[in-house]
Amino acid sequence: MFLSTVGTSKLHGRRDAWHSGWWTAKIVLWISLTIITFLVPSAFFQIYGEIAHFGAGVFLLIQLISVISFIRWLNDCCQSEKNAVRCHINVMLVATTSYVVCILGVILMYIWYTPEPSCLLNIFFITWTLVLLQLMTSVSLHPKVNAGFLTPGLMGLYVVFLCWCAIRSEPAGESCNRKAEASRRTDWLTIISFIVALLAIVIATFSTGIDSQCFQFRKGDTQDEDDVPYGYGFFHFVFATGAMYFAMLLIGWNTHHIIQKWTIDVGWTSAWVRIVNEWLAVCVYLWMLVAPILLKIRRTAEPV
């Protein structure tokens, strides 16, 4: 789908019709490919598993850029002259709530996942998350940046969530993750959590796929009425990498790892992927704040 729709720019064309229609042919093709997978040698899936490691990483990068761009767009919208007065109270309320939830989340992670002083790795993960939250707040409130409280508050929610996911991905049996040990038994709640996690990833993949505009370098171009509303090729590329991300979650990011039934994203590799994703999200966010200032200083310093 990516190869057949990349570069589509106008509506009502053949490739637009292929992207938006031809559902009977697509269903037949999907069923055929599903059957073929049972006939393909296992060596093919080992190769695909290695490629999926890279593709899943690309998906995480695309997703975090999309999330950060949305947060910055929301902040710019609230700080605009048109909405600044009307949204002032709402912005302060949302920002305050975000910080309260972040602090509460950090406290709960200390209680749940550091039952012993020997849990140094979990203590490091949680403490470093708190340091990153403080760093984002300090940079956002710097006079030259002046990004306010809203963006670091929402980003704080995101990084605390990633830290929680990382620690929760630690395998059961670890003395520092008693929650995983308690949930080792497969029951209806575990199955529902599994299904909800899959649906959340599908929604995140779809919303990221139609958000191709935040990856455009020339955003000032005017659109014609017959232009496509979003990049079709980018949409299918995100779904392709999203499928690789699904595969990595289901096997715990380890092609040689045997995972328990009805579990998703469990294993030390999964935990470290989440932690690195958290740190990378903070780096990208800080770069988006600082880059315009650095570029402005550089242009000023250049001789005319």
Side-chain angles (χ1 to χ4, degrees):
M1 290 300 299
F2 166 72
L3 294 176
S4 60
T5 58
V6 64
T8 304
S9 58
K10 299 295 180 182
L11 297 170
H12 312 302
R14 291 183 178 180
R15 291 197 293 177
D16 174 63
W18 167 243
H19 169 77
S20 305
W22 291 78
W23 291 108
T24 303
K26 289 178 181 176
I27 292 174
V28 172
L29 183 62
W30 171 56
I31 294 175
S32 302
L33 290 174
T34 303
I35 295 174
I36 290 175
T37 56
F38 291 96
L39 307 176
V40 176
S42 299
F44 169 81
F45 294 103
Q46 291 294 332
I47 298 174
Y48 176 78
E50 298 302 323
I51 298 174
H53 277 97
F54 174 76
V58 172
F59 174 79
L60 287 175
L61 180 62
I62 292 174
Q63 189 179 54
L64 73 87
I65 292 176
S66 178
V67 169
I68 295 172
S69 298
F70 170 75
I71 291 174
R72 292 199 64 195
W73 169 84
L74 181 63
N75 184 65
D76 293 340
C77 182
C78 294
Q79 287 186 345
S80 63
E81 295 181 0
K82 181 180 179 181
N83 301 320
V85 178
R86 183 176 59 183
C87 296
H88 178 71
I89 297 178
N90 294 333
V91 168
M92 292 302 298
L93 181 62
V94 172
T96 303
T97 303
S98 299
Y99 276 102
V100 170
V101 173
C102 288
I103 299 301
L104 182 62
V106 169
I107 293 173
L108 289 177
M109 283 192 291
Y110 274 123
I111 296 173
W112 290 342
Y113 302 115
T114 59
E116 302 173 1
S118 59
C119 300
L120 296 179
L121 187 60
N122 286 355
I123 293 174
F124 168 71
F125 287 159
I126 301 169
T127 305
W128 187 245
T129 299
L130 193 60
V131 171
L132 293 177
L133 177 60
Q134 177 61 44
L135 178 63
M136 291 189 296
T137 304
S138 300
V139 174
S140 298
L141 296 180
H142 192 277
K144 292 185 177 180
V145 178
N146 195 25
F149 284 99
L150 181 61
T151 51
L154 295 178
M155 277 301 299
L157 290 176
Y158 186 55
V159 298
V160 168
F161 172 74
L162 289 177
C163 180
W164 174 75
C165 289
I167 298 177
R168 191 172 177 271
S169 295
E170 294 176 1
E174 301 292 332
S175 60
C176 298
N177 194 356
R178 294 174 180 174
K179 287 253 174 209
E181 187 69 32
S183 62
R184 199 169 185 177
R185 183 174 54 87
T186 301
D187 54 11
W188 63 270
L189 185 59
T190 306
I191 297 174
I192 291 177
S193 300
F194 177 85
I195 295 173
V196 169
L198 293 181
L199 291 177
I201 297 170
V202 171
I203 294 172
T205 306
F206 185 84
S207 60
T208 304
I210 62 177
D211 191 24
S212 58
Q213 291 184 353
C214 70
F215 296 90
Q216 293 177 354
F217 294 99
R218 296 184 302 172
K219 299 185 180 181
D221 297 345
T222 57
Q223 274 195 329
D224 297 330
E225 291 184 358
D226 59 343
D227 286 345
V228 294
Y230 57 91
Y232 292 167
F234 179 80
F235 176 83
H236 292 295
F237 175 76
V238 170
F239 260 85
T241 56
M244 296 178 183
Y245 179 64
F246 259 106
M248 291 299 101
L249 293 185
L250 293 173
I251 64 172
W253 293 82
N254 189 346
T255 53
H256 305 287
H257 176 65
I258 300 176
I259 201 164
Q260 185 185 354
K261 282 186 178 182
W262 300 109
T263 58
I264 185 169
D265 201 21
V266 175
W268 280 114
T269 308
S270 298
W272 277 106
V273 166
R274 292 289 188 181
I275 287 296
V276 173
N277 188 32
E278 175 196 345
W279 297 346
L280 184 60
V282 174
C283 291
V284 172
Y285 171 74
L286 294 177
W287 173 251
M288 285 186 172
L289 292 180
V290 177
I293 300 174
L294 296 179
L295 292 175
K296 186 177 180 180
I297 296 175
R298 183 179 178 182
R299 290 173 184 173
T300 306
E302 289 179 353
V304 180

PDB file of all heavy atoms in Angstrom, residues 15-38:
ATOM      1  N   ARG A  15      -4.924   6.332  -7.917  1.00  0.00           N
ATOM      2  CA  ARG A  15      -4.304   5.941  -6.652  1.00  0.00           C
ATOM      3  C   ARG A  15      -5.125   6.397  -5.454  1.00  0.00           C
ATOM      4  O   ARG A  15      -5.124   5.743  -4.404  1.00  0.00           O
ATOM      5  CB  ARG A  15      -2.879   6.497  -6.580  1.00  0.00           C
ATOM      6  CG  ARG A  15      -1.943   5.822  -7.580  1.00  0.00           C
ATOM      7  CD  ARG A  15      -0.488   6.063  -7.235  1.00  0.00           C
ATOM      8  NE  ARG A  15      -0.091   7.446  -7.388  1.00  0.00           N
ATOM      9  CZ  ARG A  15       1.118   7.904  -7.088  1.00  0.00           C
ATOM     10  NH1 ARG A  15       2.032   7.066  -6.594  1.00  0.00           N
ATOM     11  NH2 ARG A  15       1.418   9.170  -7.266  1.00  0.00           N
ATOM     12  N   ASP A  16      -5.844   7.516  -5.595  1.00  0.00           N
ATOM     13  CA  ASP A  16      -6.753   7.940  -4.529  1.00  0.00           C
ATOM     14  C   ASP A  16      -7.895   6.945  -4.376  1.00  0.00           C
ATOM     15  O   ASP A  16      -8.303   6.615  -3.254  1.00  0.00           O
ATOM     16  CB  ASP A  16      -7.294   9.334  -4.844  1.00  0.00           C
ATOM     17  CG  ASP A  16      -8.359   9.762  -3.842  1.00  0.00           C
ATOM     18  OD1 ASP A  16      -8.035   9.898  -2.650  1.00  0.00           O
ATOM     19  OD2 ASP A  16      -9.523   9.945  -4.262  1.00  0.00           O
ATOM     20  N   ALA A  17      -8.406   6.456  -5.516  1.00  0.00           N
ATOM     21  CA  ALA A  17      -9.473   5.449  -5.464  1.00  0.00           C
ATOM     22  C   ALA A  17      -8.973   4.145  -4.855  1.00  0.00           C
ATOM     23  O   ALA A  17      -9.693   3.481  -4.090  1.00  0.00           O
ATOM     24  CB  ALA A  17     -10.020   5.199  -6.872  1.00  0.00           C
ATOM     25  N   TRP A  18      -7.728   3.779  -5.173  1.00  0.00           N
ATOM     26  CA  TRP A  18      -7.158   2.566  -4.603  1.00  0.00           C
ATOM     27  C   TRP A  18      -6.972   2.698  -3.091  1.00  0.00           C
ATOM     28  O   TRP A  18      -7.208   1.761  -2.337  1.00  0.00           O
ATOM     29  CB  TRP A  18      -5.829   2.265  -5.273  1.00  0.00           C
ATOM     30  CG  TRP A  18      -4.976   1.239  -4.607  1.00  0.00           C
ATOM     31  CD1 TRP A  18      -3.747   1.424  -4.077  1.00  0.00           C
ATOM     32  CD2 TRP A  18      -5.282  -0.151  -4.408  1.00  0.00           C
ATOM     33  NE1 TRP A  18      -3.254   0.257  -3.540  1.00  0.00           N
ATOM     34  CE2 TRP A  18      -4.182  -0.730  -3.736  1.00  0.00           C
ATOM     35  CE3 TRP A  18      -6.380  -0.960  -4.715  1.00  0.00           C
ATOM     36  CZ2 TRP A  18      -4.152  -2.069  -3.385  1.00  0.00           C
ATOM     37  CZ3 TRP A  18      -6.349  -2.297  -4.351  1.00  0.00           C
ATOM     38  CH2 TRP A  18      -5.246  -2.844  -3.706  1.00  0.00           C
ATOM     39  N   HIS A  19      -6.577   3.892  -2.643  1.00  0.00           N
ATOM     40  CA  HIS A  19      -6.395   4.122  -1.212  1.00  0.00           C
ATOM     41  C   HIS A  19      -7.727   4.106  -0.465  1.00  0.00           C
ATOM     42  O   HIS A  19      -7.812   3.557   0.638  1.00  0.00           O
ATOM     43  CB  HIS A  19      -5.695   5.472  -1.002  1.00  0.00           C
ATOM     44  CG  HIS A  19      -5.692   5.934   0.431  1.00  0.00           C
ATOM     45  ND1 HIS A  19      -4.834   5.420   1.382  1.00  0.00           N
ATOM     46  CD2 HIS A  19      -6.464   6.859   1.074  1.00  0.00           C
ATOM     47  CE1 HIS A  19      -5.071   6.008   2.541  1.00  0.00           C
ATOM     48  NE2 HIS A  19      -6.039   6.882   2.392  1.00  0.00           N
ATOM     49  N   SER A  20      -8.764   4.704  -1.040  1.00  0.00           N
ATOM     50  CA  SER A  20     -10.036   4.888  -0.342  1.00  0.00           C
ATOM     51  C   SER A  20     -11.060   3.808  -0.641  1.00  0.00           C
ATOM     52  O   SER A  20     -12.063   3.717   0.071  1.00  0.00           O
ATOM     53  CB  SER A  20     -10.638   6.259  -0.707  1.00  0.00           C
ATOM     54  OG  SER A  20      -9.709   7.296  -0.449  1.00  0.00           O
ATOM     55  N   GLY A  21     -10.845   3.010  -1.659  1.00  0.00           N
ATOM     56  CA  GLY A  21     -11.840   2.016  -2.047  1.00  0.00           C
ATOM     57  C   GLY A  21     -11.223   0.657  -2.324  1.00  0.00           C
ATOM     58  O   GLY A  21     -10.244   0.258  -1.689  1.00  0.00           O
ATOM     59  N   TRP A  22     -11.849  -0.066  -3.275  1.00  0.00           N
ATOM     60  CA  TRP A  22     -11.386  -1.400  -3.665  1.00  0.00           C
ATOM     61  C   TRP A  22     -11.335  -2.342  -2.456  1.00  0.00           C
ATOM     62  O   TRP A  22     -10.420  -3.146  -2.306  1.00  0.00           O
ATOM     63  CB  TRP A  22     -10.004  -1.337  -4.325  1.00  0.00           C
ATOM     64  CG  TRP A  22      -9.989  -0.687  -5.677  1.00  0.00           C
ATOM     65  CD1 TRP A  22     -10.027   0.648  -5.952  1.00  0.00           C
ATOM     66  CD2 TRP A  22      -9.952  -1.362  -6.937  1.00  0.00           C
ATOM     67  NE1 TRP A  22     -10.003   0.866  -7.305  1.00  0.00           N
ATOM     68  CE2 TRP A  22      -9.957  -0.351  -7.934  1.00  0.00           C
ATOM     69  CE3 TRP A  22      -9.905  -2.701  -7.338  1.00  0.00           C
ATOM     70  CZ2 TRP A  22      -9.932  -0.650  -9.304  1.00  0.00           C
ATOM     71  CZ3 TRP A  22      -9.867  -2.992  -8.692  1.00  0.00           C
ATOM     72  CH2 TRP A  22      -9.892  -1.973  -9.660  1.00  0.00           C
ATOM     73  N   TRP A  23     -12.371  -2.275  -1.604  1.00  0.00           N
ATOM     74  CA  TRP A  23     -12.314  -3.040  -0.363  1.00  0.00           C
ATOM     75  C   TRP A  23     -12.437  -4.548  -0.588  1.00  0.00           C
ATOM     76  O   TRP A  23     -11.841  -5.344   0.139  1.00  0.00           O
ATOM     77  CB  TRP A  23     -13.411  -2.554   0.586  1.00  0.00           C
ATOM     78  CG  TRP A  23     -13.136  -1.172   1.083  1.00  0.00           C
ATOM     79  CD1 TRP A  23     -13.780  -0.021   0.751  1.00  0.00           C
ATOM     80  CD2 TRP A  23     -12.096  -0.791   1.985  1.00  0.00           C
ATOM     81  NE1 TRP A  23     -13.219   1.060   1.386  1.00  0.00           N
ATOM     82  CE2 TRP A  23     -12.174   0.617   2.155  1.00  0.00           C
ATOM     83  CE3 TRP A  23     -11.093  -1.494   2.658  1.00  0.00           C
ATOM     84  CZ2 TRP A  23     -11.294   1.312   2.968  1.00  0.00           C
ATOM     85  CZ3 TRP A  23     -10.218  -0.793   3.475  1.00  0.00           C
ATOM     86  CH2 TRP A  23     -10.327   0.596   3.620  1.00  0.00           C
ATOM     87  N   THR A  24     -13.195  -4.954  -1.599  1.00  0.00           N
ATOM     88  CA  THR A  24     -13.304  -6.392  -1.888  1.00  0.00           C
ATOM     89  C   THR A  24     -11.959  -6.975  -2.275  1.00  0.00           C
ATOM     90  O   THR A  24     -11.543  -8.026  -1.771  1.00  0.00           O
ATOM     91  CB  THR A  24     -14.319  -6.623  -3.020  1.00  0.00           C
ATOM     92  OG1 THR A  24     -15.588  -6.069  -2.645  1.00  0.00           O
ATOM     93  CG2 THR A  24     -14.476  -8.110  -3.296  1.00  0.00           C
ATOM     94  N   ALA A  25     -11.241  -6.270  -3.157  1.00  0.00           N
ATOM     95  CA  ALA A  25      -9.918  -6.735  -3.575  1.00  0.00           C
ATOM     96  C   ALA A  25      -8.946  -6.736  -2.391  1.00  0.00           C
ATOM     97  O   ALA A  25      -8.119  -7.652  -2.250  1.00  0.00           O
ATOM     98  CB  ALA A  25      -9.388  -5.844  -4.694  1.00  0.00           C
ATOM     99  N   LYS A  26      -9.051  -5.730  -1.541  1.00  0.00           N
ATOM    100  CA  LYS A  26      -8.144  -5.665  -0.387  1.00  0.00           C
ATOM    101  C   LYS A  26      -8.411  -6.801   0.596  1.00  0.00           C
ATOM    102  O   LYS A  26      -7.470  -7.378   1.155  1.00  0.00           O
ATOM    103  CB  LYS A  26      -8.300  -4.318   0.314  1.00  0.00           C
ATOM    104  CG  LYS A  26      -7.728  -3.141  -0.461  1.00  0.00           C
ATOM    105  CD  LYS A  26      -7.976  -1.842   0.278  1.00  0.00           C
ATOM    106  CE  LYS A  26      -7.440  -0.649  -0.492  1.00  0.00           C
ATOM    107  NZ  LYS A  26      -7.749   0.637   0.167  1.00  0.00           N
ATOM    108  N   ILE A  27      -9.689  -7.126   0.817  1.00  0.00           N
ATOM    109  CA  ILE A  27     -10.022  -8.215   1.746  1.00  0.00           C
ATOM    110  C   ILE A  27      -9.522  -9.547   1.207  1.00  0.00           C
ATOM    111  O   ILE A  27      -8.955 -10.371   1.938  1.00  0.00           O
ATOM    112  CB  ILE A  27     -11.538  -8.244   2.003  1.00  0.00           C
ATOM    113  CG1 ILE A  27     -11.966  -7.003   2.802  1.00  0.00           C
ATOM    114  CG2 ILE A  27     -11.933  -9.515   2.750  1.00  0.00           C
ATOM    115  CD1 ILE A  27     -13.453  -6.870   2.983  1.00  0.00           C
ATOM    116  N   VAL A  28      -9.715  -9.760  -0.112  1.00  0.00           N
ATOM    117  CA  VAL A  28      -9.219 -11.000  -0.731  1.00  0.00           C
ATOM    118  C   VAL A  28      -7.701 -11.074  -0.633  1.00  0.00           C
ATOM    119  O   VAL A  28      -7.126 -12.124  -0.313  1.00  0.00           O
ATOM    120  CB  VAL A  28      -9.680 -11.071  -2.203  1.00  0.00           C
ATOM    121  CG1 VAL A  28      -9.009 -12.244  -2.909  1.00  0.00           C
ATOM    122  CG2 VAL A  28     -11.194 -11.193  -2.285  1.00  0.00           C
ATOM    123  N   LEU A  29      -7.031  -9.955  -0.886  1.00  0.00           N
ATOM    124  CA  LEU A  29      -5.576  -9.910  -0.799  1.00  0.00           C
ATOM    125  C   LEU A  29      -5.107 -10.158   0.625  1.00  0.00           C
ATOM    126  O   LEU A  29      -4.119 -10.880   0.856  1.00  0.00           O
ATOM    127  CB  LEU A  29      -5.080  -8.545  -1.297  1.00  0.00           C
ATOM    128  CG  LEU A  29      -3.572  -8.329  -1.340  1.00  0.00           C
ATOM    129  CD1 LEU A  29      -2.926  -9.320  -2.306  1.00  0.00           C
ATOM    130  CD2 LEU A  29      -3.249  -6.901  -1.753  1.00  0.00           C
ATOM    131  N   TRP A  30      -5.807  -9.577   1.595  1.00  0.00           N
ATOM    132  CA  TRP A  30      -5.450  -9.763   3.004  1.00  0.00           C
ATOM    133  C   TRP A  30      -5.573 -11.227   3.423  1.00  0.00           C
ATOM    134  O   TRP A  30      -4.685 -11.785   4.075  1.00  0.00           O
ATOM    135  CB  TRP A  30      -6.339  -8.874   3.873  1.00  0.00           C
ATOM    136  CG  TRP A  30      -6.212  -9.128   5.342  1.00  0.00           C
ATOM    137  CD1 TRP A  30      -5.079  -9.093   6.089  1.00  0.00           C
ATOM    138  CD2 TRP A  30      -7.269  -9.495   6.236  1.00  0.00           C
ATOM    139  NE1 TRP A  30      -5.354  -9.384   7.408  1.00  0.00           N
ATOM    140  CE2 TRP A  30      -6.688  -9.640   7.524  1.00  0.00           C
ATOM    141  CE3 TRP A  30      -8.637  -9.693   6.095  1.00  0.00           C
ATOM    142  CZ2 TRP A  30      -7.437  -9.988   8.635  1.00  0.00           C
ATOM    143  CZ3 TRP A  30      -9.379 -10.032   7.211  1.00  0.00           C
ATOM    144  CH2 TRP A  30      -8.786 -10.184   8.451  1.00  0.00           C
ATOM    145  N   ILE A  31      -6.703 -11.876   3.046  1.00  0.00           N
ATOM    146  CA  ILE A  31      -6.904 -13.288   3.388  1.00  0.00           C
ATOM    147  C   ILE A  31      -5.840 -14.156   2.726  1.00  0.00           C
ATOM    148  O   ILE A  31      -5.289 -15.082   3.342  1.00  0.00           O
ATOM    149  CB  ILE A  31      -8.317 -13.738   2.964  1.00  0.00           C
ATOM    150  CG1 ILE A  31      -9.381 -12.998   3.795  1.00  0.00           C
ATOM    151  CG2 ILE A  31      -8.481 -15.251   3.140  1.00  0.00           C
ATOM    152  CD1 ILE A  31     -10.804 -13.281   3.356  1.00  0.00           C
ATOM    153  N   SER A  32      -5.519 -13.848   1.463  1.00  0.00           N
ATOM    154  CA  SER A  32      -4.505 -14.619   0.747  1.00  0.00           C
ATOM    155  C   SER A  32      -3.142 -14.503   1.411  1.00  0.00           C
ATOM    156  O   SER A  32      -2.437 -15.508   1.613  1.00  0.00           O
ATOM    157  CB  SER A  32      -4.422 -14.146  -0.707  1.00  0.00           C
ATOM    158  OG  SER A  32      -5.678 -14.267  -1.357  1.00  0.00           O
ATOM    159  N   LEU A  33      -2.761 -13.289   1.784  1.00  0.00           N
ATOM    160  CA  LEU A  33      -1.467 -13.089   2.431  1.00  0.00           C
ATOM    161  C   LEU A  33      -1.425 -13.754   3.800  1.00  0.00           C
ATOM    162  O   LEU A  33      -0.382 -14.267   4.221  1.00  0.00           O
ATOM    163  CB  LEU A  33      -1.177 -11.592   2.560  1.00  0.00           C
ATOM    164  CG  LEU A  33      -0.885 -10.853   1.246  1.00  0.00           C
ATOM    165  CD1 LEU A  33      -0.771  -9.359   1.494  1.00  0.00           C
ATOM    166  CD2 LEU A  33       0.383 -11.381   0.599  1.00  0.00           C
ATOM    167  N   THR A  34      -2.567 -13.759   4.505  1.00  0.00           N
ATOM    168  CA  THR A  34      -2.621 -14.422   5.816  1.00  0.00           C
ATOM    169  C   THR A  34      -2.398 -15.920   5.672  1.00  0.00           C
ATOM    170  O   THR A  34      -1.699 -16.547   6.476  1.00  0.00           O
ATOM    171  CB  THR A  34      -3.974 -14.152   6.492  1.00  0.00           C
ATOM    172  OG1 THR A  34      -4.177 -12.738   6.600  1.00  0.00           O
ATOM    173  CG2 THR A  34      -4.020 -14.776   7.876  1.00  0.00           C
ATOM    174  N   ILE A  35      -2.984 -16.518   4.633  1.00  0.00           N
ATOM    175  CA  ILE A  35      -2.801 -17.959   4.391  1.00  0.00           C
ATOM    176  C   ILE A  35      -1.368 -18.255   3.986  1.00  0.00           C
ATOM    177  O   ILE A  35      -0.763 -19.245   4.429  1.00  0.00           O
ATOM    178  CB  ILE A  35      -3.794 -18.439   3.317  1.00  0.00           C
ATOM    179  CG1 ILE A  35      -5.242 -18.307   3.834  1.00  0.00           C
ATOM    180  CG2 ILE A  35      -3.510 -19.894   2.926  1.00  0.00           C
ATOM    181  CD1 ILE A  35      -6.293 -18.625   2.789  1.00  0.00           C
ATOM    182  N   ILE A  36      -0.792 -17.384   3.151  1.00  0.00           N
ATOM    183  CA  ILE A  36       0.567 -17.604   2.663  1.00  0.00           C
ATOM    184  C   ILE A  36       1.568 -17.615   3.806  1.00  0.00           C
ATOM    185  O   ILE A  36       2.572 -18.334   3.761  1.00  0.00           O
ATOM    186  CB  ILE A  36       0.928 -16.524   1.612  1.00  0.00           C
ATOM    187  CG1 ILE A  36       0.113 -16.763   0.330  1.00  0.00           C
ATOM    188  CG2 ILE A  36       2.421 -16.517   1.301  1.00  0.00           C
ATOM    189  CD1 ILE A  36       0.293 -15.686  -0.717  1.00  0.00           C
ATOM    190  N   THR A  37       1.303 -16.819   4.862  1.00  0.00           N
ATOM    191  CA  THR A  37       2.267 -16.756   5.969  1.00  0.00           C
ATOM    192  C   THR A  37       2.492 -18.115   6.622  1.00  0.00           C
ATOM    193  O   THR A  37       3.572 -18.370   7.168  1.00  0.00           O
ATOM    194  CB  THR A  37       1.794 -15.762   7.045  1.00  0.00           C
ATOM    195  OG1 THR A  37       0.487 -16.128   7.492  1.00  0.00           O
ATOM    196  CG2 THR A  37       1.763 -14.353   6.496  1.00  0.00           C
ATOM    197  N   PHE A  38       1.494 -19.008   6.568  1.00  0.00           N
ATOM    198  CA  PHE A  38       1.659 -20.335   7.152  1.00  0.00           C
ATOM    199  C   PHE A  38       2.489 -21.255   6.261  1.00  0.00           C
ATOM    200  O   PHE A  38       2.902 -22.322   6.691  1.00  0.00           O
ATOM    201  CB  PHE A  38       0.288 -20.974   7.413  1.00  0.00           C
ATOM    202  CG  PHE A  38      -0.481 -20.303   8.505  1.00  0.00           C
ATOM    203  CD1 PHE A  38      -1.425 -19.336   8.210  1.00  0.00           C
ATOM    204  CD2 PHE A  38      -0.249 -20.618   9.834  1.00  0.00           C
ATOM    205  CE1 PHE A  38      -2.149 -18.700   9.219  1.00  0.00           C
ATOM    206  CE2 PHE A  38      -0.952 -19.985  10.850  1.00  0.00           C
ATOM    207  CZ  PHE A  38      -1.902 -19.031  10.534  1.00  0.00           C
TER     208      PHE A  38
END
